[in-house]
Amino acid sequence: MNDYQFKLVRLEGDFVWHSHPDTDEAFIVIDGEMVIDFRDGNVTLGPGEMYVVPRGQEHKPRASRECRIMLIEPVGTVNTGDAGGPMTAENDVWI
Amino acid sequence: MNDYQFKLVRLEGDFVWHSHPDTDEAFIVIDGEMVIDFRDGNVTLGPGEMYVVPRGQEHKPRASRECRIMLIEPVGTVNTGDAGGPMTAENDVWI
């Protein structure tokens, strides 16, 4: 949509701590349950719930069982943000 | 999120034909069923389904029974687009 992407994600286990210095990031849970850890707390999201992580805020998504999520963010946003590393995924994979 | 708004809408009956010359518009159905008419066809959306109407494309949302929808679009996007009229709603109403 315009210059934004809708990204479908399966999350299981702990993702890496990271932040996106230049953009907010919206999480919408489709199925399952996930937690977003922040340095000073966390938020738990179930099906149909959403949360917008503000730009620059460190966060670590995690899910004890597979959780299906839709992310909304500018095209080209890197999943690991400023952290990089082996969990960095390719962008622009269309399904 | 950034300069985008998530707009929660209850739709029942026929909305007006309109288009948004400057932006795409994403529809996500939360509950119920809706139809988006185009000049050359239509699309039916149920719970959890989404559709992005491209900028400039004339469309008319409708629902035979109340349908609950989330729209994603740039802040300040007018619901009736280029059509105006009595169905134009106030923007920036926070809930």
Side-chain angles (χ1 to χ4, degrees):
Chain A
M1 172 192 49
N2 297 331
D3 51 351
Y4 278 70
Q5 62 195 11
F6 295 91
K7 192 184 281 184
L8 296 174
V9 175
R10 291 175 194 240
L11 173 68
E12 186 170 0
D14 282 31
F15 200 65
V16 293
W17 279 105
H18 69 285
S19 66
H20 304 281
D22 299 321
T23 183
D24 303 338
E25 183 174 48
F27 290 75
I28 301 178
V29 172
I30 296 169
D31 190 41
E33 188 176 282
M34 71 173 295
V35 176
I36 308 176
D37 286 326
F38 303 106
R39 293 299 186 185
D40 62 352
N42 63 66
V43 63
T44 299
L45 302 176
E49 294 184 324
M50 65 179 287
Y51 194 85
V52 178
V53 176
R55 69 183 66 196
Q57 183 168 18
E58 280 191 293
H59 59 286
K60 187 186 69 157
R62 60 181 164 91
S64 54
R65 296 182 191 176
E66 182 179 286
C67 181
R68 297 173 183 208
I69 306 159
M70 186 167 72
L71 300 179
I72 310 169
E73 57 196 14
V75 168
T77 299
V78 175
N79 65 331
T80 52
D82 58 351
M87 297 185 95
T88 302
E90 194 177 352
N91 247 315
D92 292 330
V93 180
W94 288 73
I95 61 174
Chain B
M1 172 193 50
N2 298 331
D3 52 351
Y4 277 70
Q5 62 196 8
F6 296 90
K7 192 185 280 184
L8 296 173
V9 174
R10 292 175 194 240
L11 173 67
E12 185 171 0
D14 282 31
F15 201 64
V16 293
W17 280 105
H18 69 286
S19 66
H20 304 280
D22 300 321
T23 183
D24 302 337
E25 184 174 47
F27 290 76
I28 300 179
V29 172
I30 296 169
D31 191 41
E33 187 176 283
M34 71 174 295
V35 176
I36 308 177
D37 285 325
F38 304 106
R39 292 300 186 185
D40 61 352
N42 65 66
V43 61
T44 299
L45 302 176
E49 294 183 324
M50 65 179 289
Y51 194 87
V52 178
V53 177
R55 70 183 64 196
Q57 183 168 18
E58 280 192 292
H59 59 287
K60 188 187 68 158
R62 60 183 164 88
S64 54
R65 296 181 189 176
E66 183 179 286
C67 180
R68 297 174 183 206
I69 306 159
M70 185 166 73
L71 300 179
I72 310 169
E73 57 195 14
V75 167
T77 300
V78 175
N79 65 331
T80 51
D82 58 352
M87 297 185 95
T88 302
E90 194 177 353
N91 247 315
D92 293 330
V93 180
W94 288 73
I95 61 174

PDB file of all heavy atoms in Angstrom, chain A residues 1-2 5-6 10-11 15 21-22 24 26 28-29 35 41 45-46 53 61 68-69 72-73 75-76 78 80 83 93:
ATOM      1  N   MET A   1       0.860  -1.187   0.000  1.00  0.00           N
ATOM      2  CA  MET A   1       0.000   0.000   0.000  1.00  0.00           C
ATOM      3  C   MET A   1       0.890   1.228   0.000  1.00  0.00           C
ATOM      4  O   MET A   1       1.685   1.404   0.919  1.00  0.00           O
ATOM      5  CB  MET A   1      -0.864  -0.006   1.268  1.00  0.00           C
ATOM      6  CG  MET A   1      -1.647   1.263   1.440  1.00  0.00           C
ATOM      7  SD  MET A   1      -2.405   1.428   3.085  1.00  0.00           S
ATOM      8  CE  MET A   1      -1.026   1.072   4.154  1.00  0.00           C
ATOM      9  N   ASN A   2       0.738   2.064  -1.032  1.00  0.00           N
ATOM     10  CA  ASN A   2       1.674   3.180  -1.189  1.00  0.00           C
ATOM     11  C   ASN A   2       3.094   2.631  -1.056  1.00  0.00           C
ATOM     12  O   ASN A   2       3.447   1.675  -1.721  1.00  0.00           O
ATOM     13  CB  ASN A   2       1.365   4.295  -0.192  1.00  0.00           C
ATOM     14  CG  ASN A   2      -0.028   4.911  -0.414  1.00  0.00           C
ATOM     15  OD1 ASN A   2      -0.532   4.919  -1.527  1.00  0.00           O
ATOM     16  ND2 ASN A   2      -0.644   5.400   0.632  1.00  0.00           N
ATOM     17  N   GLN A   5       4.651  -2.083   3.251  1.00  0.00           N
ATOM     18  CA  GLN A   5       4.499  -3.514   2.995  1.00  0.00           C
ATOM     19  C   GLN A   5       3.712  -4.164   4.133  1.00  0.00           C
ATOM     20  O   GLN A   5       3.794  -3.753   5.294  1.00  0.00           O
ATOM     21  CB  GLN A   5       5.877  -4.180   2.856  1.00  0.00           C
ATOM     22  CG  GLN A   5       6.741  -4.101   4.107  1.00  0.00           C
ATOM     23  CD  GLN A   5       8.219  -4.424   3.839  1.00  0.00           C
ATOM     24  OE1 GLN A   5       8.649  -4.521   2.693  1.00  0.00           O
ATOM     25  NE2 GLN A   5       8.997  -4.581   4.900  1.00  0.00           N
ATOM     26  N   PHE A   6       2.935  -5.181   3.757  1.00  0.00           N
ATOM     27  CA  PHE A   6       2.285  -6.064   4.727  1.00  0.00           C
ATOM     28  C   PHE A   6       3.112  -7.342   4.735  1.00  0.00           C
ATOM     29  O   PHE A   6       3.230  -8.017   3.700  1.00  0.00           O
ATOM     30  CB  PHE A   6       0.850  -6.377   4.308  1.00  0.00           C
ATOM     31  CG  PHE A   6      -0.043  -5.168   4.299  1.00  0.00           C
ATOM     32  CD1 PHE A   6      -0.191  -4.399   3.156  1.00  0.00           C
ATOM     33  CD2 PHE A   6      -0.741  -4.792   5.445  1.00  0.00           C
ATOM     34  CE1 PHE A   6      -1.011  -3.280   3.145  1.00  0.00           C
ATOM     35  CE2 PHE A   6      -1.568  -3.683   5.441  1.00  0.00           C
ATOM     36  CZ  PHE A   6      -1.697  -2.918   4.287  1.00  0.00           C
ATOM     37  N   ARG A  10       5.784 -16.033  10.630  1.00  0.00           N
ATOM     38  CA  ARG A  10       5.570 -17.080  11.634  1.00  0.00           C
ATOM     39  C   ARG A  10       6.670 -16.916  12.672  1.00  0.00           C
ATOM     40  O   ARG A  10       7.855 -16.955  12.340  1.00  0.00           O
ATOM     41  CB  ARG A  10       5.694 -18.472  11.031  1.00  0.00           C
ATOM     42  CG  ARG A  10       4.580 -18.843  10.071  1.00  0.00           C
ATOM     43  CD  ARG A  10       4.887 -20.189   9.437  1.00  0.00           C
ATOM     44  NE  ARG A  10       4.040 -20.428   8.289  1.00  0.00           N
ATOM     45  CZ  ARG A  10       3.205 -21.471   8.196  1.00  0.00           C
ATOM     46  NH1 ARG A  10       3.125 -22.351   9.176  1.00  0.00           N
ATOM     47  NH2 ARG A  10       2.474 -21.637   7.121  1.00  0.00           N
ATOM     48  N   LEU A  11       6.275 -16.740  13.906  1.00  0.00           N
ATOM     49  CA  LEU A  11       7.246 -16.520  14.989  1.00  0.00           C
ATOM     50  C   LEU A  11       7.130 -17.665  15.987  1.00  0.00           C
ATOM     51  O   LEU A  11       6.047 -18.005  16.442  1.00  0.00           O
ATOM     52  CB  LEU A  11       6.927 -15.194  15.683  1.00  0.00           C
ATOM     53  CG  LEU A  11       7.735 -14.868  16.951  1.00  0.00           C
ATOM     54  CD1 LEU A  11       9.195 -14.617  16.627  1.00  0.00           C
ATOM     55  CD2 LEU A  11       7.145 -13.634  17.651  1.00  0.00           C
ATOM     56  N   PHE A  15      12.975 -13.835  19.235  1.00  0.00           N
ATOM     57  CA  PHE A  15      13.647 -13.062  18.200  1.00  0.00           C
ATOM     58  C   PHE A  15      14.766 -12.265  18.880  1.00  0.00           C
ATOM     59  O   PHE A  15      15.004 -12.428  20.075  1.00  0.00           O
ATOM     60  CB  PHE A  15      12.624 -12.154  17.493  1.00  0.00           C
ATOM     61  CG  PHE A  15      13.071 -11.691  16.132  1.00  0.00           C
ATOM     62  CD1 PHE A  15      13.254 -12.602  15.095  1.00  0.00           C
ATOM     63  CD2 PHE A  15      13.326 -10.350  15.882  1.00  0.00           C
ATOM     64  CE1 PHE A  15      13.683 -12.178  13.842  1.00  0.00           C
ATOM     65  CE2 PHE A  15      13.752  -9.920  14.630  1.00  0.00           C
ATOM     66  CZ  PHE A  15      13.933 -10.830  13.612  1.00  0.00           C
ATOM     67  N   PRO A  21      15.322   2.667  13.837  1.00  0.00           N
ATOM     68  CA  PRO A  21      15.527   4.083  14.149  1.00  0.00           C
ATOM     69  C   PRO A  21      14.655   5.033  13.335  1.00  0.00           C
ATOM     70  O   PRO A  21      14.380   6.142  13.781  1.00  0.00           O
ATOM     71  CB  PRO A  21      17.006   4.312  13.815  1.00  0.00           C
ATOM     72  CG  PRO A  21      17.620   2.956  13.722  1.00  0.00           C
ATOM     73  CD  PRO A  21      16.536   2.024  13.318  1.00  0.00           C
ATOM     74  N   ASP A  22      14.199   4.568  12.154  1.00  0.00           N
ATOM     75  CA  ASP A  22      13.534   5.492  11.243  1.00  0.00           C
ATOM     76  C   ASP A  22      12.040   5.245  11.069  1.00  0.00           C
ATOM     77  O   ASP A  22      11.384   5.931  10.295  1.00  0.00           O
ATOM     78  CB  ASP A  22      14.198   5.420   9.854  1.00  0.00           C
ATOM     79  CG  ASP A  22      15.667   5.808   9.926  1.00  0.00           C
ATOM     80  OD1 ASP A  22      15.983   6.745  10.680  1.00  0.00           O
ATOM     81  OD2 ASP A  22      16.476   5.163   9.246  1.00  0.00           O
ATOM     82  N   ASP A  24       8.115   3.589  12.874  1.00  0.00           N
ATOM     83  CA  ASP A  24       7.245   2.795  13.733  1.00  0.00           C
ATOM     84  C   ASP A  24       7.001   1.449  13.036  1.00  0.00           C
ATOM     85  O   ASP A  24       7.256   1.295  11.840  1.00  0.00           O
ATOM     86  CB  ASP A  24       5.886   3.488  13.923  1.00  0.00           C
ATOM     87  CG  ASP A  24       6.008   4.891  14.498  1.00  0.00           C
ATOM     88  OD1 ASP A  24       7.037   5.205  15.138  1.00  0.00           O
ATOM     89  OD2 ASP A  24       5.057   5.680  14.306  1.00  0.00           O
ATOM     90  N   ALA A  26       3.951  -1.747  13.025  1.00  0.00           N
ATOM     91  CA  ALA A  26       2.675  -2.257  13.540  1.00  0.00           C
ATOM     92  C   ALA A  26       2.648  -3.772  13.500  1.00  0.00           C
ATOM     93  O   ALA A  26       2.983  -4.377  12.475  1.00  0.00           O
ATOM     94  CB  ALA A  26       1.516  -1.699  12.718  1.00  0.00           C
ATOM     95  N   ILE A  28       0.076  -7.034  14.014  1.00  0.00           N
ATOM     96  CA  ILE A  28      -1.292  -7.541  14.163  1.00  0.00           C
ATOM     97  C   ILE A  28      -1.205  -9.059  14.267  1.00  0.00           C
ATOM     98  O   ILE A  28      -0.658  -9.706  13.366  1.00  0.00           O
ATOM     99  CB  ILE A  28      -2.185  -7.153  12.970  1.00  0.00           C
ATOM    100  CG1 ILE A  28      -2.259  -5.634  12.816  1.00  0.00           C
ATOM    101  CG2 ILE A  28      -3.582  -7.743  13.133  1.00  0.00           C
ATOM    102  CD1 ILE A  28      -3.100  -5.167  11.622  1.00  0.00           C
ATOM    103  N   VAL A  29      -1.715  -9.625  15.356  1.00  0.00           N
ATOM    104  CA  VAL A  29      -1.675 -11.079  15.525  1.00  0.00           C
ATOM    105  C   VAL A  29      -2.862 -11.709  14.795  1.00  0.00           C
ATOM    106  O   VAL A  29      -4.013 -11.310  15.003  1.00  0.00           O
ATOM    107  CB  VAL A  29      -1.682 -11.469  17.008  1.00  0.00           C
ATOM    108  CG1 VAL A  29      -1.834 -12.982  17.161  1.00  0.00           C
ATOM    109  CG2 VAL A  29      -0.393 -11.008  17.669  1.00  0.00           C
ATOM    110  N   VAL A  35       4.480 -12.214  22.675  1.00  0.00           N
ATOM    111  CA  VAL A  35       4.849 -11.185  23.647  1.00  0.00           C
ATOM    112  C   VAL A  35       5.878 -10.279  22.976  1.00  0.00           C
ATOM    113  O   VAL A  35       6.750 -10.760  22.248  1.00  0.00           O
ATOM    114  CB  VAL A  35       5.451 -11.817  24.917  1.00  0.00           C
ATOM    115  CG1 VAL A  35       5.918 -10.738  25.892  1.00  0.00           C
ATOM    116  CG2 VAL A  35       4.441 -12.736  25.591  1.00  0.00           C
ATOM    117  N   GLY A  41       9.313  -3.461  30.304  1.00  0.00           N
ATOM    118  CA  GLY A  41       8.015  -4.127  30.433  1.00  0.00           C
ATOM    119  C   GLY A  41       7.738  -4.962  29.210  1.00  0.00           C
ATOM    120  O   GLY A  41       8.642  -5.268  28.436  1.00  0.00           O
ATOM    121  N   LEU A  45      -0.047 -10.124  23.087  1.00  0.00           N
ATOM    122  CA  LEU A  45      -1.053  -9.932  22.044  1.00  0.00           C
ATOM    123  C   LEU A  45      -1.638 -11.266  21.619  1.00  0.00           C
ATOM    124  O   LEU A  45      -0.905 -12.213  21.352  1.00  0.00           O
ATOM    125  CB  LEU A  45      -0.417  -9.275  20.808  1.00  0.00           C
ATOM    126  CG  LEU A  45       0.278  -7.923  21.003  1.00  0.00           C
ATOM    127  CD1 LEU A  45       0.923  -7.495  19.680  1.00  0.00           C
ATOM    128  CD2 LEU A  45      -0.709  -6.875  21.478  1.00  0.00           C
ATOM    129  N   GLY A  46      -2.967 -11.330  21.534  1.00  0.00           N
ATOM    130  CA  GLY A  46      -3.668 -12.511  21.031  1.00  0.00           C
ATOM    131  C   GLY A  46      -4.286 -12.221  19.671  1.00  0.00           C
ATOM    132  O   GLY A  46      -4.112 -11.133  19.119  1.00  0.00           O
ATOM    133  N   VAL A  53       4.874  -0.403  17.737  1.00  0.00           N
ATOM    134  CA  VAL A  53       6.133  -0.117  18.431  1.00  0.00           C
ATOM    135  C   VAL A  53       6.694   1.182  17.849  1.00  0.00           C
ATOM    136  O   VAL A  53       6.927   1.275  16.643  1.00  0.00           O
ATOM    137  CB  VAL A  53       7.152  -1.260  18.237  1.00  0.00           C
ATOM    138  CG1 VAL A  53       8.487  -0.908  18.880  1.00  0.00           C
ATOM    139  CG2 VAL A  53       6.603  -2.562  18.802  1.00  0.00           C
ATOM    140  N   PRO A  61      10.439  -9.486  20.035  1.00  0.00           N
ATOM    141  CA  PRO A  61       9.249 -10.332  19.913  1.00  0.00           C
ATOM    142  C   PRO A  61       9.590 -11.770  20.318  1.00  0.00           C
ATOM    143  O   PRO A  61      10.697 -12.243  20.060  1.00  0.00           O
ATOM    144  CB  PRO A  61       8.925 -10.267  18.416  1.00  0.00           C
ATOM    145  CG  PRO A  61       9.656  -9.053  17.907  1.00  0.00           C
ATOM    146  CD  PRO A  61      10.902  -8.985  18.746  1.00  0.00           C
ATOM    147  N   ARG A  68       1.199 -16.532  14.292  1.00  0.00           N
ATOM    148  CA  ARG A  68       1.127 -15.966  12.944  1.00  0.00           C
ATOM    149  C   ARG A  68       0.767 -14.493  13.039  1.00  0.00           C
ATOM    150  O   ARG A  68      -0.217 -14.128  13.685  1.00  0.00           O
ATOM    151  CB  ARG A  68       0.116 -16.726  12.099  1.00  0.00           C
ATOM    152  CG  ARG A  68       0.558 -18.166  11.927  1.00  0.00           C
ATOM    153  CD  ARG A  68      -0.463 -19.040  11.255  1.00  0.00           C
ATOM    154  NE  ARG A  68       0.034 -20.407  11.196  1.00  0.00           N
ATOM    155  CZ  ARG A  68      -0.309 -21.286  10.273  1.00  0.00           C
ATOM    156  NH1 ARG A  68      -1.166 -20.961   9.338  1.00  0.00           N
ATOM    157  NH2 ARG A  68       0.197 -22.499  10.294  1.00  0.00           N
ATOM    158  N   ILE A  69       1.573 -13.682  12.402  1.00  0.00           N
ATOM    159  CA  ILE A  69       1.529 -12.232  12.600  1.00  0.00           C
ATOM    160  C   ILE A  69       1.540 -11.537  11.252  1.00  0.00           C
ATOM    161  O   ILE A  69       2.133 -12.038  10.294  1.00  0.00           O
ATOM    162  CB  ILE A  69       2.786 -11.783  13.380  1.00  0.00           C
ATOM    163  CG1 ILE A  69       2.934 -12.569  14.684  1.00  0.00           C
ATOM    164  CG2 ILE A  69       2.784 -10.281  13.656  1.00  0.00           C
ATOM    165  CD1 ILE A  69       4.353 -12.554  15.222  1.00  0.00           C
ATOM    166  N   ILE A  72       3.092  -4.295   9.530  1.00  0.00           N
ATOM    167  CA  ILE A  72       2.904  -3.199   8.578  1.00  0.00           C
ATOM    168  C   ILE A  72       4.016  -2.201   8.826  1.00  0.00           C
ATOM    169  O   ILE A  72       4.197  -1.718   9.958  1.00  0.00           O
ATOM    170  CB  ILE A  72       1.535  -2.523   8.748  1.00  0.00           C
ATOM    171  CG1 ILE A  72       0.426  -3.574   8.768  1.00  0.00           C
ATOM    172  CG2 ILE A  72       1.293  -1.511   7.634  1.00  0.00           C
ATOM    173  CD1 ILE A  72      -0.921  -3.008   9.195  1.00  0.00           C
ATOM    174  N   GLU A  73       4.774  -1.906   7.777  1.00  0.00           N
ATOM    175  CA  GLU A  73       5.966  -1.067   7.916  1.00  0.00           C
ATOM    176  C   GLU A  73       6.383  -0.588   6.534  1.00  0.00           C
ATOM    177  O   GLU A  73       5.940  -1.142   5.522  1.00  0.00           O
ATOM    178  CB  GLU A  73       7.085  -1.885   8.561  1.00  0.00           C
ATOM    179  CG  GLU A  73       7.406  -3.136   7.764  1.00  0.00           C
ATOM    180  CD  GLU A  73       8.232  -4.190   8.506  1.00  0.00           C
ATOM    181  OE1 GLU A  73       8.374  -4.113   9.732  1.00  0.00           O
ATOM    182  OE2 GLU A  73       8.740  -5.081   7.813  1.00  0.00           O
ATOM    183  N   VAL A  75       8.223  -0.203   3.035  1.00  0.00           N
ATOM    184  CA  VAL A  75       8.925  -1.151   2.176  1.00  0.00           C
ATOM    185  C   VAL A  75      10.424  -1.094   2.461  1.00  0.00           C
ATOM    186  O   VAL A  75      10.992  -0.013   2.601  1.00  0.00           O
ATOM    187  CB  VAL A  75       8.666  -0.808   0.685  1.00  0.00           C
ATOM    188  CG1 VAL A  75       9.603  -1.576  -0.229  1.00  0.00           C
ATOM    189  CG2 VAL A  75       7.222  -1.101   0.314  1.00  0.00           C
ATOM    190  N   GLY A  76      11.027  -2.275   2.572  1.00  0.00           N
ATOM    191  CA  GLY A  76      12.476  -2.335   2.769  1.00  0.00           C
ATOM    192  C   GLY A  76      12.910  -2.355   4.216  1.00  0.00           C
ATOM    193  O   GLY A  76      14.103  -2.481   4.493  1.00  0.00           O
ATOM    194  N   VAL A  78      14.069  -3.674   7.504  1.00  0.00           N
ATOM    195  CA  VAL A  78      14.788  -4.918   7.798  1.00  0.00           C
ATOM    196  C   VAL A  78      14.263  -5.496   9.105  1.00  0.00           C
ATOM    197  O   VAL A  78      14.117  -4.771  10.097  1.00  0.00           O
ATOM    198  CB  VAL A  78      16.304  -4.656   7.879  1.00  0.00           C
ATOM    199  CG1 VAL A  78      17.070  -5.908   8.296  1.00  0.00           C
ATOM    200  CG2 VAL A  78      16.814  -4.137   6.544  1.00  0.00           C
ATOM    201  N   THR A  80      15.462  -7.313  11.425  1.00  0.00           N
ATOM    202  CA  THR A  80      16.292  -7.209  12.625  1.00  0.00           C
ATOM    203  C   THR A  80      16.719  -5.766  12.923  1.00  0.00           C
ATOM    204  O   THR A  80      17.509  -5.539  13.850  1.00  0.00           O
ATOM    205  CB  THR A  80      17.547  -8.089  12.474  1.00  0.00           C
ATOM    206  OG1 THR A  80      18.182  -7.768  11.231  1.00  0.00           O
ATOM    207  CG2 THR A  80      17.189  -9.566  12.487  1.00  0.00           C
ATOM    208  N   ALA A  83      20.036  -4.335  14.563  1.00  0.00           N
ATOM    209  CA  ALA A  83      20.814  -5.411  15.193  1.00  0.00           C
ATOM    210  C   ALA A  83      21.523  -6.296  14.173  1.00  0.00           C
ATOM    211  O   ALA A  83      22.625  -6.780  14.421  1.00  0.00           O
ATOM    212  CB  ALA A  83      19.903  -6.273  16.071  1.00  0.00           C
ATOM    213  N   VAL A  93       9.771 -10.782  -0.415  1.00  0.00           N
ATOM    214  CA  VAL A  93       9.377 -12.133  -0.821  1.00  0.00           C
ATOM    215  C   VAL A  93       7.854 -12.140  -0.901  1.00  0.00           C
ATOM    216  O   VAL A  93       7.175 -12.001   0.112  1.00  0.00           O
ATOM    217  CB  VAL A  93       9.862 -13.190   0.207  1.00  0.00           C
ATOM    218  CG1 VAL A  93       9.439 -14.578  -0.236  1.00  0.00           C
ATOM    219  CG2 VAL A  93      11.371 -13.096   0.386  1.00  0.00           C
TER     220      VAL A  93
END
